[in-house]
Amino acid sequence: MRQYGILAYPAAHSRSPLMHNAAFKAMNIDAYYGVFEKKPEELEAFMREVLERPIDGLSVSLPYKESILKYLDQVEPAVQKIGAVNTVVNKEGKLYGFNTDWIGSNRALIEVVGDLTEKIVVILGAGGAARAVAYGALLAGAHVWIKNRTKEKADAIAVEFAEFFSTQIHSVPLGEMRTGDILINTTSGWTNGMEDWKEEMIADYINLDYLANYQAVMDIVYTPLITPLLETASEIGVNIITGDKMLLYQACEQFKLWTGEDAPLEVMSKALEAV
Ligand code: NAP
């Protein structure tokens, strides 16, 4: 039986096992997807275990998307640019790193707004996920404005990515408002619970009066599924895209990397909905 799993800390609440185990079952693949909740000091030993057992593939989540790089034999060009890995394939004892987050976010966006060419995408946040989302948007021909609490991180992404793409990427200071076609929240700090939500929390990022100008608003945070930002957008009639879509589509790409087969989208989607 082939072994796969999610490497993260914490990892207990991950939805990935449900999706991937349902997919293996539906496709009659003799494989099991487990949870590898490892503390940072356990990472080195765990990566030895991946080769020794062996474990055939990993989904990689916080906080290991960057620190896992040094254990890999080879990474795809997208990983080199994004600087983060969310998928590992163990092929005959060699570890290969991929990033499927950008594919997931592009697919989630395109199914609602269509072609991204020349669209203006405003990204809130500049962590690992923002880098993947920005990479995907630029690759699809969009222009990107990126805003972050720690502006230096947004500046760094803008400078790095401007070298690779012909479309524009700029960082925007907090407090300065830009309208665009698509607004994407990738910050993790606002949405822990609806009870905590206050509009002032995002006042520096987005003037809510501007929301109506957007064609769509996506929040990649999926707990809760309808975040306060999405609820506000939905109330004024703007298309919303929930974070489970990116999660689903990036998982479908992982499945394909591990098995060589197209993922059973409906099965995985139903497994995710059942959570
Ligand atoms: P990360 O690298 O830790 O980045 C976190 C981002 O959130 C940074 O921009 C950080 O700003 C910002 N932030 C955190 N707390 C904040 C606060 N209180 N106020 C304002 N900004 C705050 O994390 P990540 O990997 O980018 O992931 C971000 C979120 O996306 C997580 O919730 C993760 O679960 C989710 N995610 C979803 C998917 C999906 O498939 N749907 C995929 C990947 C990630 P600073 O730079 O100023 O610290």
Side-chain angles (χ1 to χ4, degrees):
M1 180 185 266
R2 283 190 265 164
Q3 298 288 328
Y4 299 89
I6 176 146
L7 167 65
Y9 188 81
H13 296 105
S14 170
R15 299 170 184 206
S16 297
L18 282 169
M19 275 192 292
H20 285 297
N21 284 321
F24 290 142
K25 192 170 170 205
M27 301 284 284
N28 283 321
I29 295 172
D30 187 21
Y32 179 73
Y33 185 105
V35 174
F36 304 117
E37 184 169 270
K38 302 289 172 189
K39 295 188 176 134
E41 59 272 26
E42 297 170 325
L43 181 63
E44 194 167 332
F46 174 69
M47 292 311 291
R48 276 199 301 275
E49 191 186 330
V50 169
L51 294 169
E52 283 160 11
R53 270 172 71 172
I55 293 165
D56 299 275
L58 297 171
S59 305
V60 184
S61 193
L62 287 171
Y64 299 120
K65 287 186 168 185
E66 289 156 27
S67 53
I68 199 168
L69 277 163
K70 69 174 177 182
Y71 299 101
L72 306 181
D73 293 292
Q74 207 173 311
V75 297
E76 62 162 348
V79 166
Q80 287 167 359
K81 296 199 173 71
I82 295 166
V85 165
N86 81 332
T87 311
V88 174
V89 179
N90 181 357
K91 202 170 170 199
E92 292 158 9
K94 295 256 184 258
L95 301 182
Y96 298 88
F98 298 86
N99 191 306
T100 67
D101 279 337
W102 69 271
I103 301 175
S105 72
N106 270 18
R107 191 166 168 188
L109 290 173
I110 289 166
E111 78 176 356
V112 172
V113 300
D115 188 1
L116 298 181
T117 310
E118 298 297 330
K119 297 277 186 204
I120 295 176
V121 175
V122 178
I123 297 176
L124 312 181
R131 291 179 69 94
V133 169
Y135 174 85
L138 289 162
L139 200 65
H143 303 283
V144 171
W145 310 126
I146 185 161
K147 254 185 191 189
N148 192 43
R149 176 177 65 176
T150 312
K151 185 171 181 293
E152 295 72 29
K153 279 166 69 181
D155 291 346
I157 297 177
V159 169
E160 270 177 61
F161 282 10
E163 279 186 33
F164 307 135
F165 298 100
S166 54
T167 45
Q168 293 178 37
I169 173 161
H170 293 294
S171 80
V172 182
L174 288 190
E176 189 177 313
M177 297 302 151
R178 294 283 169 106
T179 57
D181 300 302
I182 300 163
L183 177 70
I184 305 174
N185 175 50
T186 73
T187 64
S188 51
W190 304 332
T191 43
N192 290 336
M194 299 286 267
E195 320 80 54
D196 302 336
W197 166 254
K198 293 186 188 67
E199 284 190 4
E200 302 92 88
M201 287 181 186
I202 61 161
D204 286 339
Y205 292 81
I206 168 90
N207 179 334
L208 292 176
D209 296 339
Y210 283 40
L211 264 190
N213 299 330
Y214 284 89
Q215 193 182 341
V217 177
M218 175 159 88
D219 201 326
I220 74 162
V221 172
Y222 47 81
T223 317
L225 204 54
I226 302 297
T227 63
L229 178 63
L230 292 185
E231 188 172 77
T232 310
S234 164
E235 275 165 15
I236 55 172
V238 178
N239 289 316
I240 62 166
I241 306 168
T242 48
D244 58 337
K245 297 289 184 220
M246 175 173 167
L247 184 70
L248 172 66
Y249 295 140
Q250 65 76 32
C252 288
E253 285 302 310
Q254 294 185 318
F255 185 89
K256 190 160 189 184
L257 286 167
W258 293 329
T259 66
E261 312 259 4
D262 284 336
L265 177 66
E266 281 303 312
V267 169
M268 292 172 79
S269 174
K270 283 215 171 75
L272 192 56
E273 274 170 27
V275 180

